[in-house]
Amino acid sequence: MLNQNPEQIARDHIDKQLIASGWIIQDKKKFNLAAGLGIAIREYQTDIGPADYVLFVDKKAVGIIEAKREEEGIHLTSVEEQSARYANAKLRLLNNDPLPFVYESTGEITRFTNYKDPKPRSRNVFTFHRPETFLQWIKEDKTLRARLHDIPALPVEGLRDCQITAITNLEKSFKDQRPKALIQMATGAGKTFTAISFIYRLLKYSKAKRILFLVDTKNLGEQAEGEFRSYTASEDNRLFTELYGVTRLSSSFIPNDSQVYISTIQRMYSILKETELDESAEEENPNEQLFEPKTAVPVGYNEKVPMEFFDFVVIDECHRSIYNLWKQVLDYFDVFQIGLTATPDNRTFGYFNQNLVCDYGYEKAVIDGVLVPYNVFTVETQITKEGSVIKLGEKVDKRKRLTRKKFWESLDEDEVYSGKQLDNDIVNPSTIRTIIRAVKENLPAMFPDRVDEKGVFEVPKLLIFAKTDSHAEDIIEMVREEFGEENKFCKKITYKSDEDPKSVLQQFRNDYYPRIAVTVDMIATGTDIRPLEVLLFMRDVKSRSYYEQMKGRGTRTCSVEELRAKGTPSARFSKDHFVIIDAIGVENSQKTDSRPLEKAPGVSLKDVLQNIALGNTSEDMLTTLANRLIRLERQLSEKDKLKFAEQANGFTINHIVKQLLNAYDPDAIEKVEQTTKGAMRGFPPVEIDAAIANGKQKLIEKAVAVFHNPELRDFIVDIRKQYDQIIDVVNMDTITKIGWVKDQDEAASTTITDFKNWIESHKDEITALQIFYAQDYRHRTFTYKMIKDLSEKLKTEKPLLAPLTVWRAYEQLEKTNGSTKSELIALVSLIRRVSGIDTTLTAYDKTVDKNFQDWIFKKNAGQHNAFTEAQMQWLRMMKDYVANSFHIDRDDFDLSPFNAEGGLSKMWQLFGEETDVIINELNEVLAA
């Protein structure tokens, strides 16, 4: 139909998906529950109003669908309470129990919660479950997620330590409802045996119905099938295949009577696409194929293999082949995913949510010290500080800002981004996850007395400040997952929330749940929350007053009785401190006393434009629009800027912004007054005042004139929505600084002292150190190998004194000259500082640059340009080589970059008999 509104379009999409999933859609006035197994009735009346869809299976109401227009994709977690209310409501003419199966859907994005689960938690699903599935689930005493808690302790006989660790931690991960887990196990350690062991336990104890074992070559599939057939269960002493059916897929047919299915990812993709696949396509893993289609053919719904067909997917060699085109196979199924690999890379860690269950090598920071009423805990990561780069050709997910619909695309150039672009242009899930995980792991050290009667740590009330609604959605999902908690554990409090923000705020203030709230804009004065004890900043603030308001949320006192009554029963003392966790550098960012430019942060851009078009030309509205346009201008391409000007009578965004700000500018107003008074000298004061008022109004009318054009307003709203976010799962983030601010200086000082002591104790036995400490060090040479050996010895004996760690300690305590990401360059620079050669820690390449300039200057003294341009080019190459390799010999001219320019013979051609003199001089002076 033409001219449909967004709600109707969304419901059309939902209707199509329901029909494809086996549901019959009926109108509330003409329903027939006997028409089929699954009936979806639109607008069914409840005692709290009509529900968008009520789902009936075998004539019994079982579920709810709360439908939202596509643009509401960023708000779906806020709709959960609304849909839950419908699920708990009384249906007209029925005496129903609460309905367990609840969806929130835009037709593009669908989230599902099974309220029969322990700690019900919503999750993204590809589409809607089939009626047959719900019929089966209703008959079960416990859901799969509940049955996972029935898995008994692992018998360890016959298992290696790493296998025990992997299976035990994996089963804990399942019980915590983590959707993905990664097992890293060295080749030969028994990954497949481990996998079959936990698959056996999942089938026996959690009653999993089907498990997919996914490989990327036919050969791996055949090997896996052989191991399944030879596996004997230690708890049963029978072969696996005597207990459970194992099928290796070799055609498009999938029998439904097996429990384990082995398939290549290529074949599963073809099955979902309902296309035939020749076995030759399974010979090599797709990761090694040079050609990939530019546009992925999207996977659609396949009723023969519905998304709930499997309960678990085990992905062998998961460091390859499951990305880009093939990732759609994993996105399709509503399953737990377990990755197996010996060699994970950054993409692997990112895809599996950094949930490495068999190797917990992450070093926890334990902070000791007396808490004060107001203290800052810093969590600094590498990417928030330095940004990162996604390389040309990398396949990345992109996401529509508003709808959160994802698609994948190959980058046609390097995507270099700064930390400030995070969560706007670029979303790096690893950065968010690393921060949330660091917070979770350090909260017990901040509040060591918060343990309930069962010995479980009780998370204090915590408020997170997010950048945008989309950022808040990402944070909410990861908080729930990292803390292993349900929907009500973490909620959003924002003006844009569908769920009543005041109601959520009231719950946060007075009830046990939510423990954690995420907010974007509801931070004005008056939102005091006495039980609040932690503020987590994941957005920066430039206004000092605004920042003080935000900090003020945690300053309220709270007695132990009130603290216990309003959400923290394990509290033993009155609230005597609160903690700011700074994950964005907000404490150190430049603050200004100027008023925030945006005065209507809770009003959408569309509403701001419509307000102005309807005559609301207040200063607040115009300055807010100016701020929004400034941000928009930074994001638009040159092509879109030209399109904007075409719609705006030829004016640029910058011109219009100046006009908007000029409308209430005191200088502009004064000029109107002076000009009017000068032109109307001798006129009655009343007429002068009227003329001045008219002049001021013209300033405003001139500023807003272009916004009376509805096409321009629509263009501004639409173009803002079109810009996509890149989801960077390539670059894993790491903690670079963590701890209490007051303790970090002490820790840095200890690190430097330990490094100095180690260097001092080894200076007589290590050649490279002997050279540095020798009086005639300038006349001796140290090589790249010497520095490499020294670095390896240092990291072996003192892993916490790695050169870059010591470098950051110096940066904490004193001003440094330059920075470096090279361990070896950092080590040389540090030794020069410790041995007294340099009084300031200086990046060695900067030292080399300065010494080279001084040397050239001396050579040029008394004569103009001692070297030709060709000679200077060669000398600069030699200088750069020394900066990275510390020394240069004749043999080095056979290496890059010299060999490409003619090697030693070219050097001799340029410098003749001075060649050796030049080499020796540079080795001496550059290291000075």
Side-chain angles (χ1 to χ4, degrees):
M1 291 177 61
L2 298 177
N3 301 318
Q4 285 186 304
N5 63 40
E7 287 78 7
Q8 291 168 329
I9 293 171
R11 295 195 185 203
D12 282 350
H13 288 315
I14 291 171
D15 287 354
K16 289 176 183 176
Q17 291 178 33
L18 283 169
I19 292 168
S21 300
W23 295 87
I24 298 170
I25 301 173
Q26 296 180 351
D27 186 79
K28 64 180 178 181
K29 294 181 179 178
K30 297 181 180 180
F31 66 85
N32 175 9
L33 296 182
L37 178 64
I39 308 294
I41 300 181
R42 298 191 191 98
E43 300 294 331
Y44 196 100
Q45 191 65 39
T46 77
D47 60 357
I48 61 169
D52 292 334
Y53 296 81
V54 174
L55 303 177
F56 289 81
V57 172
D58 198 20
K59 304 184 183 67
K60 181 180 179 182
V62 298
I64 289 287
I65 302 174
E66 180 63 27
K68 294 294 177 185
R69 56 194 175 121
E70 186 177 350
E71 291 77 8
E72 296 297 308
I74 63 171
H75 300 309
L76 284 189
T77 63
S78 301
V79 183
E80 291 160 356
E81 189 160 309
Q82 179 184 357
S83 51
R85 284 200 303 271
Y86 283 115
N88 285 281
K90 288 298 179 185
L91 301 177
R92 182 174 177 269
L93 305 177
L94 296 174
N95 185 24
N96 60 290
D97 294 326
L99 310 185
F101 309 126
V102 177
Y103 297 93
E104 299 85 30
S105 180
T106 66
E108 293 286 353
I109 303 294
T110 300
R111 294 187 72 87
F112 170 71
T113 304
N114 183 347
Y115 281 94
K116 294 179 69 178
D117 283 337
K119 293 187 177 180
R121 183 195 304 168
S122 70
R123 59 186 184 267
N124 278 320
V125 289
F126 186 83
T127 185
F128 301 99
H129 299 87
R130 298 188 68 81
E132 297 89 345
T133 302
F134 284 163
L135 184 64
Q136 178 64 37
W137 287 359
I138 290 168
K139 292 176 181 177
E140 295 171 350
D141 293 332
K142 292 183 177 181
T143 67
L144 172 65
R145 284 163 176 76
R147 297 194 300 269
L148 288 170
H149 290 267
D150 297 336
I151 300 176
L154 175 69
V156 299
E157 294 79 16
L159 294 174
R160 298 169 180 165
D161 287 346
C162 61
Q163 294 171 331
I164 295 168
T165 298
I167 296 171
T168 303
N169 290 345
L170 178 64
E171 290 175 354
K172 181 182 184 302
S173 178
F174 291 149
K175 292 172 184 177
D176 290 341
Q177 296 190 41
R178 290 179 179 268
K180 298 177 183 178
L182 178 62
I183 292 175
Q184 179 185 1
M185 203 173 282
T187 301
K191 292 193 301 294
T192 308
F193 184 86
T194 302
I196 299 173
S197 297
F198 68 67
I199 287 171
Y200 166 78
R201 288 167 59 78
L202 287 172
L203 292 169
K204 180 173 182 178
Y205 297 113
S206 72
K207 304 293 188 259
K209 62 179 183 297
R210 298 186 196 93
I211 296 175
L212 174 62
F213 193 92
L214 204 59
V215 295
D216 60 10
T217 66
K218 179 183 176 184
N219 181 48
L220 280 177
E222 290 170 345
Q223 289 179 31
E225 183 180 23
E227 292 200 48
F228 272 101
R229 295 196 181 283
S230 63
Y231 180 92
T232 301
S234 61
E235 300 172 47
D236 192 284
N237 209 29
R238 282 186 285 175
L239 287 172
F240 188 98
T241 48
E242 292 180 300
L243 299 166
Y244 303 108
V246 176
T247 298
R248 184 172 64 84
L249 301 180
S250 55
S251 70
S252 59
F253 174 69
I254 299 185
N256 61 9
D257 57 352
S258 286
Q259 285 72 51
V260 175
Y261 296 76
I262 303 169
S263 173
T264 62
I265 195 164
Q266 304 95 301
R267 181 160 300 284
M268 188 54 63
Y269 177 79
S270 72
I271 288 171
L272 293 177
K273 292 296 299 171
E274 297 188 273
T275 56
E276 293 300 320
L277 182 75
D278 190 272
E279 285 195 0
S280 62
E282 300 177 283
E283 297 296 334
E284 64 176 17
N285 80 73
N287 195 46
E288 295 174 358
Q289 296 174 2
L290 297 178
F291 173 78
E292 280 191 9
K294 289 184 178 179
T295 304
V297 180
V299 165
Y301 184 74
N302 186 330
E303 63 177 319
K304 297 175 185 174
V305 194
M307 66 173 183
E308 63 267 35
F309 191 81
F310 301 108
D311 289 325
F312 297 86
V313 174
V314 181
I315 309 139
D316 197 19
E317 303 299 344
C318 63
H319 61 283
R320 64 191 196 196
S321 308
I322 64 170
Y323 311 100
N324 310 327
L325 171 70
W326 311 106
K327 179 173 168 286
Q328 296 182 84
V329 172
L330 299 176
D331 289 342
Y332 177 82
F333 291 111
D334 180 25
V335 290
F336 286 93
Q337 298 181 23
I338 307 100
L340 307 175
T341 180
T343 55
D345 60 14
N346 279 351
R347 287 191 308 178
T348 318
F349 286 118
Y351 180 80
F352 287 96
N353 299 344
Q354 297 170 260
N355 187 24
L356 186 62
V357 297
C358 76
D359 181 15
Y360 289 98
Y362 182 80
E363 192 173 71
K364 296 180 177 65
V366 178
I367 304 302
D368 295 319
V370 179
L371 294 175
V372 295
Y374 161 52
N375 204 353
V376 179
F377 188 88
T378 301
V379 179
E380 179 186 274
T381 75
Q382 183 174 355
I383 292 178
T384 53
K385 185 179 181 183
E386 301 175 9
S388 195
V389 57
I390 313 173
K391 292 295 184 181
L392 163 72
E394 187 73 54
K395 306 296 192 302
V396 297
D397 272 338
K398 286 194 173 183
R399 182 172 74 188
K400 295 292 184 183
R401 290 178 185 272
L402 190 62
T403 67
R404 294 172 74 82
K405 182 180 179 181
K406 285 185 181 179
F407 57 97
W408 70 272
E409 184 172 285
S410 177
L411 292 180
D412 54 12
E413 61 181 350
D414 285 358
E415 181 69 40
V416 181
Y417 64 89
S418 68
K420 291 184 179 178
Q421 289 175 274
L422 283 172
D423 309 304
N424 292 310
D425 306 318
I426 303 283
V427 176
N428 188 313
S430 175
T431 296
I432 302 173
R433 191 177 300 283
T434 299
I435 291 168
I436 295 299
R437 184 172 292 180
V439 170
K440 181 199 171 189
E441 291 173 346
N442 284 278
L443 278 174
M446 298 177 190
F447 297 86
D449 60 318
R450 297 300 166 79
V451 180
D452 66 18
E453 57 190 15
K454 296 179 181 177
V456 177
F457 175 72
E458 188 171 64
V459 176
K461 291 280 187 174
L462 188 155
L463 180 64
I464 302 175
F465 295 111
K467 298 175 183 176
T468 64
D469 268 75
S470 180
H471 187 209
E473 290 283 317
D474 291 333
I475 291 170
I476 288 169
E477 186 158 358
M478 291 191 189
V479 165
R480 291 171 178 176
E481 185 178 319
E482 287 300 320
F483 280 82
E485 288 292 349
E486 53 196 303
N487 293 344
K488 61 185 179 181
F489 178 82
C490 179
K491 296 232 176 180
K492 183 162 64 174
I493 303 176
T494 169
Y495 288 117
K496 297 180 183 178
S497 172
D498 279 14
E499 190 173 356
D500 178 18
K502 292 181 180 178
S503 172
V504 179
L505 183 61
Q506 193 72 7
Q507 293 169 13
F508 188 50
R509 184 185 287 126
N510 295 318
D511 301 337
Y512 187 83
Y513 289 112
R515 306 302 305 159
I516 297 177
V518 184
T519 186
V520 178
D521 44 23
M522 285 192 69
I523 52 177
T525 55
T527 55
D528 61 298
I529 306 161
R530 291 184 180 275
L532 180 63
E533 297 181 273
V534 188
L535 305 176
L536 170 56
F537 283 87
M538 295 183 72
R539 60 163 292 187
D540 198 5
V541 184
K542 298 299 183 184
S543 164
R544 183 176 291 110
S545 61
Y546 204 41
Y547 181 45
E548 292 302 321
Q549 286 179 22
M550 295 165 84
K551 287 197 300 187
R553 299 314 102 224
T555 58
R556 301 289 183 177
T557 59
C558 189
S559 68
V560 65
E561 292 79 16
E562 186 177 4
L563 204 53
R564 288 173 177 169
K566 293 187 174 180
T568 310
S570 66
R572 299 181 188 176
F573 312 104
S574 296
K575 175 181 168 184
D576 57 3
H577 67 278
F578 77 100
V579 176
I580 288 177
I581 302 178
D582 184 3
I584 199 72
V586 66
E587 272 287 300
N588 299 318
S589 65
Q590 188 76 33
K591 297 289 186 294
T592 172
D593 287 317
S594 62
R595 61 192 172 101
L597 186 57
E598 182 157 334
K599 288 188 168 184
V603 184
S604 71
L605 176 58
K606 181 179 180 180
D607 288 341
V608 170
L609 288 166
Q610 287 185 339
N611 264 276
I612 289 173
L614 290 170
N616 182 354
T617 55
S618 66
E619 182 180 4
D620 285 3
M621 203 54 67
L622 266 58
T623 53
T624 293
L625 179 57
N627 187 39
R628 304 285 178 91
L629 291 177
I630 289 169
R631 281 188 275 169
L632 180 64
E633 199 272 342
R634 293 183 188 134
Q635 297 165 348
L636 293 186
S637 65
E638 291 303 319
K639 182 179 178 182
D640 285 332
K641 289 178 184 177
L642 288 175
K643 287 183 180 178
F644 180 97
E646 289 172 6
Q647 299 280 358
N649 302 329
F651 295 127
T652 65
I653 294 179
N654 284 332
H655 175 84
I656 291 173
V657 167
K658 288 178 182 177
Q659 297 283 76
L660 289 168
L661 296 177
N662 191 59
Y664 286 95
D665 181 73
D667 292 336
I669 292 172
E670 184 179 357
K671 185 177 179 180
V672 167
E673 291 175 350
Q674 296 301 327
T675 302
T676 304
K677 288 177 180 176
M680 297 183 68
R681 188 169 284 117
F683 279 70
V686 174
E687 292 184 25
I688 294 174
D689 289 341
I692 290 173
N694 186 51
K696 292 178 182 178
Q697 186 60 33
K698 284 183 178 179
L699 283 178
I700 295 171
E701 289 174 358
K702 184 179 179 182
V704 303
V706 294
F707 298 109
H708 291 297
N709 177 5
E711 292 180 358
L712 174 62
R713 298 198 303 270
D714 291 343
F715 175 84
I716 292 171
V717 172
D718 292 340
I719 199 68
R720 179 66 183 86
K721 294 176 184 176
Q722 288 175 16
Y723 278 79
D724 308 318
Q725 295 175 312
I726 293 176
I727 312 295
D728 179 9
V729 296
V730 176
N731 296 295
M732 292 298 95
D733 212 348
T734 54
I735 299 287
T736 53
K737 186 191 297 182
I738 188 166
W740 297 108
V741 169
K742 64 184 178 64
D743 291 341
Q744 286 168 3
D745 287 355
E746 183 180 343
S749 180
T750 300
T751 297
I752 292 171
T753 300
D754 290 348
F755 178 79
K756 287 179 177 177
N757 291 340
W758 190 88
I759 294 292
E760 183 70 23
S761 65
H762 289 81
K763 70 179 183 181
D764 294 327
E765 62 183 84
I766 298 175
T767 305
L769 292 178
Q770 290 172 359
I771 292 171
F772 274 103
Y773 280 84
Q775 298 240 334
D776 61 339
Y777 75 92
R778 295 179 185 174
H779 302 290
R780 301 177 63 182
T781 60
F782 60 94
T783 65
Y784 181 91
K785 184 178 184 304
M786 290 180 189
I787 299 301
K788 183 72 173 174
D789 291 345
L790 174 60
S791 176
E792 292 302 319
K793 183 175 179 64
L794 173 64
K795 288 195 286 186
T796 299
E797 292 186 9
K798 293 285 186 179
L800 296 180
L801 297 181
L804 291 178
T805 301
V806 182
W807 184 285
R808 287 193 290 268
Y810 267 102
E811 283 183 323
Q812 179 75 20
L813 296 179
E814 65 178 51
K815 186 176 180 180
T816 56
N817 184 9
S819 61
T820 179
K821 293 183 180 179
S822 165
E823 290 273 3
L824 300 187
I825 290 177
L827 182 56
V828 172
S829 307
L830 288 165
I831 296 171
R832 289 174 62 90
R833 173 72 178 87
V834 171
S835 63
I837 298 171
D838 295 331
T839 56
T840 301
L841 180 60
T842 303
Y844 186 64
D845 52 350
K846 281 188 172 289
T847 298
V848 170
D849 283 345
K850 182 179 184 304
N851 291 344
F852 180 76
Q853 291 172 7
D854 292 345
W855 182 70
I856 293 293
F857 181 78
K858 288 179 182 178
K859 288 289 184 181
N860 285 336
Q863 57 179 312
H864 182 66
N865 294 340
F867 301 107
T868 66
E869 184 53 38
Q871 288 176 322
M872 282 300 301
Q873 180 184 351
W874 201 262
L875 291 171
R876 290 188 193 102
M877 283 196 299
M878 294 172 67
K879 179 262 294 183
D880 291 340
Y881 189 88
V882 171
N884 289 284
S885 299
F886 316 113
H887 186 79
I888 190 168
D889 289 312
R890 272 176 166 250
D891 292 345
D892 295 328
F893 289 93
D894 292 332
L895 306 174
S896 178
F898 307 108
N899 57 356
E901 300 294 332
L904 187 60
S905 60
K906 179 66 174 179
M907 175 76 178
W908 188 266
Q909 180 185 333
L910 288 170
F911 295 97
E913 294 183 358
E914 290 290 307
T915 294
D916 288 332
V917 174
I918 293 290
I919 291 173
N920 292 334
E921 274 195 42
L922 284 179
N923 277 326
E924 179 179 325
V925 300
L926 295 183

